[in-house]
Amino acid sequence: GAGVSQSPSNKVTEKGKDVELRCDPISGHTALYWYRQSLGQGLEFLIYFQGNSAPDKSGLPSDRFSAERTGGSVSTLTIQRTQQEDSAVYLCASSWSPLGEGRETQYFGPGTRLLVL
Amino acid sequence: GENVEQHPSTLSVQEGDSAVIKCTYSDSASNYFPWYKQELGKRPQLIIDIRSNVGEKKDQRIAVTLNKTAKHFSLHITETQPEDSAVYFCAASRFSGGYNKLIFGAGTRLAVHP
């Protein structure tokens, strides 16, 4: 079946502009996560959705970052007034709401590479 | 806060040799430990995972060991092949119900030379 998809694959923007990054999770996956991967670094947790609710937003770096999820499916990460330090790869992952062994696996999308000039 | 340290940052081996990557975690309540492989320009993909009620798990040429007392877990790859070359990430989480926030290590770049 179809995996997690993200769009756009690449985004170049000017400092101060707003950007929207989209994630389409695997159908039926109720849990959705956003991570950020800076060059040569590990993945940094940003936010977690269960259905349309975000019980954990603790990883969002500042109030310029926000995210929403609609219909228990598609999620959008918005970065307002982008800064150069926002340049990174933004990865989305989805999983089942775990009810048993093996259902906790997070499947990652290909990421959106954001470059802020 | 929660933290995962991963060593080494780079690892170079000859084809056929074994490779070992080590991680330590800070949150003693962590109970789920996945390993992801990320090839250049590709998405991270799960290669193996282990829960805290198990000390070791093996899948063909890869194995993971967990020492809960030391808060330490390791990835072992035997008979390495050039296609094993990638960046490997360990992670830890306090997996509960539907919530599984992964804390990642910084990654190990493995190069397998023919």
Side-chain angles (χ1 to χ4, degrees), chain A residues 3-5 31 33 35 37 40-45 48 50 56 58-59 91 95-111 113, chain B residues 2 6 32 34 36 38 40-46 49-51 53-54 57 87 89-90 93 95-107 109:
Chain A
V4 179
S5 61
Y33 303 79
Y35 295 88
Q37 186 174 28
Q41 300 296 309
L43 285 74
E44 173 191 10
F45 168 81
Y48 156 66
Q50 183 59 246
D56 188 351
S58 63
L91 289 155
S95 71
W96 297 103
S97 180
L99 294 176
E101 183 119 6
R103 294 171 68 85
E104 67 279 332
T105 300
Q106 291 186 28
Y107 297 88
F108 281 85
R113 187 176 300 275
Chain B
E2 307 134 323
Q6 182 171 347
Y32 175 66
Y36 282 84
Q38 187 175 32
L40 189 62
K42 302 281 184 65
R43 71 189 73 194
Q45 293 198 308
L46 180 75
D49 57 9
I50 192 169
R51 289 195 178 196
N53 58 350
V54 175
K57 185 176 178 181
V87 179
F89 292 98
C90 64
S93 73
F95 162 65
S96 174
Y99 181 55
N100 192 18
K101 169 185 171 182
L102 296 177
I103 306 300
F104 282 87
R109 184 173 300 277

Side-chain angles (χ1 to χ4, degrees), chain A residues 16-34:
Chain A
K17 295 284 179 67
D18 298 352
V19 295
E20 285 189 353
L21 312 180
R22 176 187 169 108
C23 171
D24 283 90
I26 292 172
S27 178
H29 281 191
T30 58
L32 187 148
Y33 303 79
W34 283 97

Side-chain angles (χ1 to χ4, degrees), chain A residues 34 36 44-48 56-67 77-78:
Chain A
W34 283 97
R36 179 168 71 173
E44 173 191 10
F45 168 81
L46 297 179
I47 187 169
Y48 156 66
D56 188 351
K57 307 178 183 179
S58 63
L60 295 178
S62 74
D63 59 8
R64 296 186 296 105
F65 288 72
S66 63
L77 177 69
T78 301

Side-chain angles (χ1 to χ4, degrees), chain B residues 19-65:
Chain B
V20 180
I21 303 170
K22 300 181 179 181
C23 291
T24 57
Y25 58 98
S26 61
D27 183 358
S28 57
S30 296
N31 56 10
Y32 175 66
F33 307 90
W35 286 87
Y36 282 84
K37 175 183 181 182
Q38 187 175 32
E39 297 178 26
L40 189 62
K42 302 281 184 65
R43 71 189 73 194
Q45 293 198 308
L46 180 75
I47 55 170
I48 195 168
D49 57 9
I50 192 169
R51 289 195 178 196
S52 59
N53 58 350
V54 175
E56 183 173 359
K57 185 176 178 181
K58 190 173 182 180
D59 183 4
Q60 299 184 340
R61 296 187 296 107
I62 59 173
V64 58
T65 59

